[in-house]
mmCIF file of all heavy atoms in Angstrom:
data_model
loop_
_atom_site.group_PDB
_atom_site.id
_atom_site.type_symbol
_atom_site.label_atom_id
_atom_site.label_comp_id
_atom_site.label_asym_id
_atom_site.label_seq_id
_atom_site.Cartn_x
_atom_site.Cartn_y
_atom_site.Cartn_z
ATOM 1 N N GLN A 1427 33.818 68.133 13.254
ATOM 2 C CA GLN A 1427 35.106 67.493 13.500
ATOM 3 C C GLN A 1427 35.167 66.929 14.914
ATOM 4 O O GLN A 1427 35.702 65.830 15.128
ATOM 5 C CB GLN A 1427 36.239 68.499 13.289
ATOM 6 C CG GLN A 1427 37.637 67.927 13.542
ATOM 7 C CD GLN A 1427 38.738 68.950 13.332
ATOM 8 O OE1 GLN A 1427 38.552 69.946 12.627
ATOM 9 N NE2 GLN A 1427 39.878 68.713 13.958
ATOM 10 N N LEU A 1428 34.634 67.665 15.877
ATOM 11 C CA LEU A 1428 34.638 67.182 17.258
ATOM 12 C C LEU A 1428 33.804 65.911 17.397
ATOM 13 O O LEU A 1428 34.204 64.969 18.081
ATOM 14 C CB LEU A 1428 34.097 68.270 18.185
ATOM 15 C CG LEU A 1428 34.933 69.545 18.308
ATOM 16 C CD1 LEU A 1428 34.203 70.577 19.153
ATOM 17 C CD2 LEU A 1428 36.293 69.254 18.913
ATOM 18 N N LEU A 1429 32.638 65.893 16.743
ATOM 19 C CA LEU A 1429 31.765 64.730 16.853
ATOM 20 C C LEU A 1429 32.335 63.506 16.153
ATOM 21 O O LEU A 1429 31.946 62.377 16.463
ATOM 22 C CB LEU A 1429 30.386 65.063 16.273
ATOM 23 C CG LEU A 1429 29.577 66.121 17.027
ATOM 24 C CD1 LEU A 1429 28.264 66.403 16.314
ATOM 25 C CD2 LEU A 1429 29.319 65.692 18.471
ATOM 26 N N ASN A 1430 33.248 63.726 15.217
ATOM 27 C CA ASN A 1430 33.853 62.611 14.496
ATOM 28 C C ASN A 1430 35.095 62.051 15.180
ATOM 29 O O ASN A 1430 35.681 61.069 14.701
ATOM 30 C CB ASN A 1430 34.213 63.036 13.070
ATOM 31 C CG ASN A 1430 32.996 63.087 12.167
ATOM 32 O OD1 ASN A 1430 32.087 62.272 12.305
ATOM 33 N ND2 ASN A 1430 32.955 64.052 11.258
ATOM 34 N N GLU A 1431 35.514 62.665 16.281
ATOM 35 C CA GLU A 1431 36.642 62.125 17.028
ATOM 36 C C GLU A 1431 36.279 60.745 17.589
ATOM 37 O O GLU A 1431 35.168 60.561 18.110
ATOM 38 C CB GLU A 1431 37.033 63.063 18.169
ATOM 39 C CG GLU A 1431 37.671 64.375 17.730
ATOM 40 C CD GLU A 1431 39.043 64.169 17.115
ATOM 41 O OE1 GLU A 1431 39.695 63.151 17.455
ATOM 42 O OE2 GLU A 1431 39.454 64.996 16.291
ATOM 43 N N PRO A 1432 37.175 59.763 17.486
ATOM 44 C CA PRO A 1432 36.850 58.400 17.965
ATOM 45 C C PRO A 1432 36.369 58.360 19.413
ATOM 46 O O PRO A 1432 35.433 57.614 19.723
ATOM 47 C CB PRO A 1432 38.182 57.660 17.798
ATOM 48 C CG PRO A 1432 38.890 58.392 16.692
ATOM 49 C CD PRO A 1432 38.507 59.834 16.852
ATOM 50 N N ALA A 1433 37.002 59.146 20.279
ATOM 51 C CA ALA A 1433 36.604 59.129 21.693
ATOM 52 C C ALA A 1433 35.181 59.641 21.865
ATOM 53 O O ALA A 1433 34.423 59.143 22.710
ATOM 54 C CB ALA A 1433 37.571 59.973 22.526
ATOM 55 N N VAL A 1434 34.798 60.634 21.069
ATOM 56 C CA VAL A 1434 33.446 61.180 21.145
ATOM 57 C C VAL A 1434 32.441 60.185 20.575
ATOM 58 O O VAL A 1434 31.359 59.986 21.130
ATOM 59 C CB VAL A 1434 33.361 62.519 20.399
ATOM 60 C CG1 VAL A 1434 31.924 63.055 20.416
ATOM 61 C CG2 VAL A 1434 34.305 63.542 21.024
ATOM 62 N N LYS A 1435 32.793 59.548 19.467
ATOM 63 C CA LYS A 1435 31.903 58.549 18.873
ATOM 64 C C LYS A 1435 31.609 57.417 19.854
ATOM 65 O O LYS A 1435 30.478 56.933 19.944
ATOM 66 C CB LYS A 1435 32.525 57.983 17.597
ATOM 67 C CG LYS A 1435 32.460 58.915 16.387
ATOM 68 C CD LYS A 1435 32.998 58.208 15.156
ATOM 69 C CE LYS A 1435 32.853 59.062 13.915
ATOM 70 N NZ LYS A 1435 33.362 58.370 12.705
ATOM 71 N N THR A 1436 32.629 56.997 20.584
ATOM 72 C CA THR A 1436 32.439 55.930 21.568
ATOM 73 C C THR A 1436 31.421 56.327 22.622
ATOM 74 O O THR A 1436 30.565 55.526 23.023
ATOM 75 C CB THR A 1436 33.778 55.586 22.239
ATOM 76 O OG1 THR A 1436 34.719 55.165 21.247
ATOM 77 C CG2 THR A 1436 33.606 54.481 23.269
ATOM 78 N N ILE A 1437 31.500 57.578 23.065
ATOM 79 C CA ILE A 1437 30.568 58.064 24.080
ATOM 80 C C ILE A 1437 29.161 58.154 23.509
ATOM 81 O O ILE A 1437 28.180 57.770 24.167
ATOM 82 C CB ILE A 1437 31.040 59.436 24.611
ATOM 83 C CG1 ILE A 1437 32.332 59.262 25.404
ATOM 84 C CG2 ILE A 1437 29.961 60.084 25.473
ATOM 85 C CD1 ILE A 1437 32.935 60.570 25.866
ATOM 86 N N LEU A 1438 29.022 58.669 22.297
ATOM 87 C CA LEU A 1438 27.709 58.835 21.685
ATOM 88 C C LEU A 1438 27.023 57.504 21.439
ATOM 89 O O LEU A 1438 25.786 57.442 21.339
ATOM 90 C CB LEU A 1438 27.836 59.611 20.377
ATOM 91 C CG LEU A 1438 28.302 61.075 20.503
ATOM 92 C CD1 LEU A 1438 28.433 61.708 19.127
ATOM 93 C CD2 LEU A 1438 27.335 61.872 21.365
ATOM 94 N N GLN A 1439 27.799 56.431 21.323
ATOM 95 C CA GLN A 1439 27.231 55.102 21.115
ATOM 96 C C GLN A 1439 26.894 54.397 22.425
ATOM 97 O O GLN A 1439 26.314 53.304 22.405
ATOM 98 C CB GLN A 1439 28.205 54.248 20.303
ATOM 99 C CG GLN A 1439 28.419 54.755 18.876
ATOM 100 C CD GLN A 1439 29.573 54.068 18.170
ATOM 101 O OE1 GLN A 1439 30.269 53.245 18.758
ATOM 102 N NE2 GLN A 1439 29.801 54.419 16.913
ATOM 103 N N ASN A 1440 27.240 55.025 23.541
ATOM 104 C CA ASN A 1440 26.997 54.431 24.848
ATOM 105 C C ASN A 1440 25.727 55.048 25.446
ATOM 106 O O ASN A 1440 25.773 56.084 26.103
ATOM 107 C CB ASN A 1440 28.212 54.684 25.767
ATOM 108 C CG ASN A 1440 28.111 53.927 27.074
ATOM 109 O OD1 ASN A 1440 27.026 53.542 27.520
ATOM 110 N ND2 ASN A 1440 29.252 53.719 27.714
ATOM 111 N N ASN A 1441 24.591 54.422 25.198
ATOM 112 C CA ASN A 1441 23.315 54.988 25.647
ATOM 113 C C ASN A 1441 23.222 55.066 27.162
ATOM 114 O O ASN A 1441 22.628 56.006 27.710
ATOM 115 C CB ASN A 1441 22.148 54.150 25.103
ATOM 116 C CG ASN A 1441 22.003 54.279 23.600
ATOM 117 O OD1 ASN A 1441 22.289 55.337 23.027
ATOM 118 N ND2 ASN A 1441 21.564 53.218 22.947
ATOM 119 N N GLU A 1442 23.798 54.079 27.836
ATOM 120 C CA GLU A 1442 23.753 54.098 29.310
ATOM 121 C C GLU A 1442 24.491 55.310 29.858
ATOM 122 O O GLU A 1442 23.991 55.999 30.760
ATOM 123 C CB GLU A 1442 24.373 52.797 29.841
ATOM 124 C CG GLU A 1442 24.364 52.661 31.359
ATOM 125 C CD GLU A 1442 25.618 53.233 32.018
ATOM 126 O OE1 GLU A 1442 26.672 53.257 31.344
ATOM 127 O OE2 GLU A 1442 25.533 53.672 33.183
ATOM 128 N N LEU A 1443 25.657 55.606 29.308
ATOM 129 C CA LEU A 1443 26.419 56.771 29.751
ATOM 130 C C LEU A 1443 25.692 58.057 29.411
ATOM 131 O O LEU A 1443 25.626 58.980 30.240
ATOM 132 C CB LEU A 1443 27.806 56.762 29.101
ATOM 133 C CG LEU A 1443 28.680 58.001 29.347
ATOM 134 C CD1 LEU A 1443 28.926 58.201 30.833
ATOM 135 C CD2 LEU A 1443 30.003 57.877 28.599
ATOM 136 N N LEU A 1444 25.118 58.141 28.215
ATOM 137 C CA LEU A 1444 24.389 59.343 27.819
ATOM 138 C C LEU A 1444 23.208 59.599 28.743
ATOM 139 O O LEU A 1444 22.922 60.748 29.101
ATOM 140 C CB LEU A 1444 23.904 59.215 26.373
ATOM 141 C CG LEU A 1444 24.985 59.209 25.292
ATOM 142 C CD1 LEU A 1444 24.350 59.028 23.919
ATOM 143 C CD2 LEU A 1444 25.803 60.495 25.329
ATOM 144 N N ASP A 1445 22.511 58.540 29.152
ATOM 145 C CA ASP A 1445 21.383 58.703 30.073
ATOM 146 C C ASP A 1445 21.849 59.242 31.420
ATOM 147 O O ASP A 1445 21.197 60.110 32.017
ATOM 148 C CB ASP A 1445 20.664 57.367 30.264
ATOM 149 C CG ASP A 1445 19.894 56.938 29.024
ATOM 150 O OD1 ASP A 1445 19.618 57.807 28.167
ATOM 151 O OD2 ASP A 1445 19.578 55.733 28.903
ATOM 152 N N VAL A 1446 22.984 58.721 31.898
ATOM 153 C CA VAL A 1446 23.514 59.175 33.193
ATOM 154 C C VAL A 1446 23.938 60.640 33.114
ATOM 155 O O VAL A 1446 23.615 61.448 33.996
ATOM 156 C CB VAL A 1446 24.704 58.287 33.624
ATOM 157 C CG1 VAL A 1446 25.376 58.873 34.868
ATOM 158 C CG2 VAL A 1446 24.243 56.871 33.902
ATOM 159 N N VAL A 1447 24.645 60.991 32.043
ATOM 160 C CA VAL A 1447 25.095 62.377 31.878
ATOM 161 C C VAL A 1447 23.910 63.313 31.760
ATOM 162 O O VAL A 1447 23.865 64.372 32.398
ATOM 163 C CB VAL A 1447 26.005 62.504 30.643
ATOM 164 C CG1 VAL A 1447 26.326 63.967 30.365
ATOM 165 C CG2 VAL A 1447 27.294 61.719 30.843
ATOM 166 N N TRP A 1448 22.917 62.925 30.951
ATOM 167 C CA TRP A 1448 21.751 63.785 30.750
ATOM 168 C C TRP A 1448 20.980 63.968 32.055
ATOM 169 O O TRP A 1448 20.522 65.086 32.369
ATOM 170 C CB TRP A 1448 20.860 63.194 29.671
ATOM 171 C CG TRP A 1448 19.575 63.936 29.468
ATOM 172 C CD1 TRP A 1448 18.313 63.473 29.640
ATOM 173 C CD2 TRP A 1448 19.431 65.297 29.043
ATOM 174 N NE1 TRP A 1448 17.393 64.441 29.357
ATOM 175 C CE2 TRP A 1448 18.050 65.581 28.987
ATOM 176 C CE3 TRP A 1448 20.341 66.301 28.710
ATOM 177 C CZ2 TRP A 1448 17.549 66.826 28.604
ATOM 178 C CZ3 TRP A 1448 19.847 67.551 28.329
ATOM 179 C CH2 TRP A 1448 18.472 67.798 28.285
ATOM 180 N N ALA A 1449 20.805 62.892 32.814
ATOM 181 C CA ALA A 1449 20.097 62.999 34.088
ATOM 182 C C ALA A 1449 20.850 63.918 35.052
ATOM 183 O O ALA A 1449 20.239 64.722 35.775
ATOM 184 C CB ALA A 1449 19.915 61.615 34.711
ATOM 185 N N THR A 1450 22.179 63.821 35.058
ATOM 186 C CA THR A 1450 22.985 64.676 35.930
ATOM 187 C C THR A 1450 22.870 66.138 35.519
ATOM 188 O O THR A 1450 22.734 67.031 36.371
ATOM 189 C CB THR A 1450 24.457 64.239 35.895
ATOM 190 O OG1 THR A 1450 24.553 62.858 36.231
ATOM 191 C CG2 THR A 1450 25.292 65.054 36.873
ATOM 192 N N VAL A 1451 22.917 66.389 34.213
ATOM 193 C CA VAL A 1451 22.800 67.768 33.722
ATOM 194 C C VAL A 1451 21.437 68.334 34.065
ATOM 195 O O VAL A 1451 21.323 69.473 34.550
ATOM 196 C CB VAL A 1451 23.039 67.815 32.204
ATOM 197 C CG1 VAL A 1451 22.704 69.196 31.647
ATOM 198 C CG2 VAL A 1451 24.495 67.483 31.882
ATOM 199 N N GLN A 1452 20.371 67.569 33.816
ATOM 200 C CA GLN A 1452 19.021 68.046 34.093
ATOM 201 C C GLN A 1452 18.840 68.408 35.563
ATOM 202 O O GLN A 1452 18.236 69.439 35.887
ATOM 203 C CB GLN A 1452 18.001 66.978 33.709
ATOM 204 C CG GLN A 1452 17.623 66.956 32.241
ATOM 205 C CD GLN A 1452 16.443 66.038 32.010
ATOM 206 O OE1 GLN A 1452 16.468 64.857 32.368
ATOM 207 N NE2 GLN A 1452 15.403 66.560 31.398
ATOM 208 N N THR A 1453 19.370 67.569 36.429
ATOM 209 C CA THR A 1453 19.179 67.772 37.869
ATOM 210 C C THR A 1453 19.914 69.002 38.379
ATOM 211 O O THR A 1453 19.467 69.654 39.328
ATOM 212 C CB THR A 1453 19.654 66.529 38.636
ATOM 213 O OG1 THR A 1453 18.985 65.371 38.125
ATOM 214 C CG2 THR A 1453 19.363 66.661 40.120
ATOM 215 N N ASN A 1454 21.029 69.341 37.750
ATOM 216 C CA ASN A 1454 21.895 70.391 38.287
ATOM 217 C C ASN A 1454 22.103 71.548 37.303
ATOM 218 O O ASN A 1454 23.069 72.302 37.438
ATOM 219 C CB ASN A 1454 23.266 69.802 38.637
ATOM 220 C CG ASN A 1454 23.165 68.646 39.613
ATOM 221 O OD1 ASN A 1454 22.982 68.827 40.801
ATOM 222 N ND2 ASN A 1454 23.289 67.429 39.096
ATOM 223 N N LEU A 1455 21.205 71.711 36.338
ATOM 224 C CA LEU A 1455 21.445 72.619 35.221
ATOM 225 C C LEU A 1455 21.688 74.059 35.682
ATOM 226 O O LEU A 1455 22.683 74.686 35.298
ATOM 227 C CB LEU A 1455 20.270 72.558 34.248
ATOM 228 C CG LEU A 1455 20.436 73.307 32.936
ATOM 229 C CD1 LEU A 1455 21.715 72.892 32.222
ATOM 230 C CD2 LEU A 1455 19.234 73.055 32.034
ATOM 231 N N ASP A 1456 20.795 74.602 36.482
ATOM 232 C CA ASP A 1456 20.932 76.000 36.902
ATOM 233 C C ASP A 1456 22.186 76.208 37.740
ATOM 234 O O ASP A 1456 22.918 77.195 37.564
ATOM 235 C CB ASP A 1456 19.689 76.442 37.691
ATOM 236 C CG ASP A 1456 18.441 76.493 36.825
ATOM 237 O OD1 ASP A 1456 18.580 76.719 35.598
ATOM 238 O OD2 ASP A 1456 17.340 76.285 37.355
ATOM 239 N N ASP A 1457 22.442 75.274 38.651
ATOM 240 C CA ASP A 1457 23.623 75.393 39.501
ATOM 241 C C ASP A 1457 24.898 75.262 38.685
ATOM 242 O O ASP A 1457 25.896 75.943 38.946
ATOM 243 C CB ASP A 1457 23.583 74.310 40.587
ATOM 244 C CG ASP A 1457 24.722 74.429 41.580
ATOM 245 O OD1 ASP A 1457 24.730 75.385 42.369
ATOM 246 O OD2 ASP A 1457 25.625 73.566 41.545
ATOM 247 N N LEU A 1458 24.886 74.403 37.664
ATOM 248 C CA LEU A 1458 26.054 74.206 36.807
ATOM 249 C C LEU A 1458 26.419 75.488 36.070
ATOM 250 O O LEU A 1458 27.601 75.843 35.973
ATOM 251 C CB LEU A 1458 25.789 73.077 35.814
ATOM 252 C CG LEU A 1458 26.844 72.836 34.735
ATOM 253 C CD1 LEU A 1458 28.203 72.526 35.348
ATOM 254 C CD2 LEU A 1458 26.413 71.699 33.816
ATOM 255 N N VAL A 1459 25.428 76.191 35.544
ATOM 256 C CA VAL A 1459 25.690 77.441 34.828
ATOM 257 C C VAL A 1459 26.318 78.474 35.776
ATOM 258 O O VAL A 1459 27.281 79.159 35.418
ATOM 259 C CB VAL A 1459 24.393 77.987 34.214
ATOM 260 C CG1 VAL A 1459 24.621 79.373 33.617
ATOM 261 C CG2 VAL A 1459 23.878 77.033 33.136
#
């Protein structure tokens, strides 16, 4: 249900944003937890 929300679908279709988010998570993963 969460993945089917329109706002979430828009984000999942934005590859540029997903790359930025993923790179940020990877760089700061341990500190984020």
Side-chain angles (χ1 to χ4, degrees):
Q1427 179 180 338
L1428 294 175
L1429 294 177
N1430 283 325
E1431 290 292 334
V1434 177
K1435 284 185 176 181
T1436 301
I1437 292 175
L1438 294 178
Q1439 295 169 357
N1440 188 338
N1441 291 327
E1442 181 270 333
L1443 174 59
L1444 292 178
D1445 289 341
V1446 172
V1447 173
W1448 175 242
T1450 305
V1451 171
Q1452 277 190 305
T1453 305
N1454 303 282
L1455 188 53
D1456 293 332
D1457 184 70
L1458 173 59
V1459 173

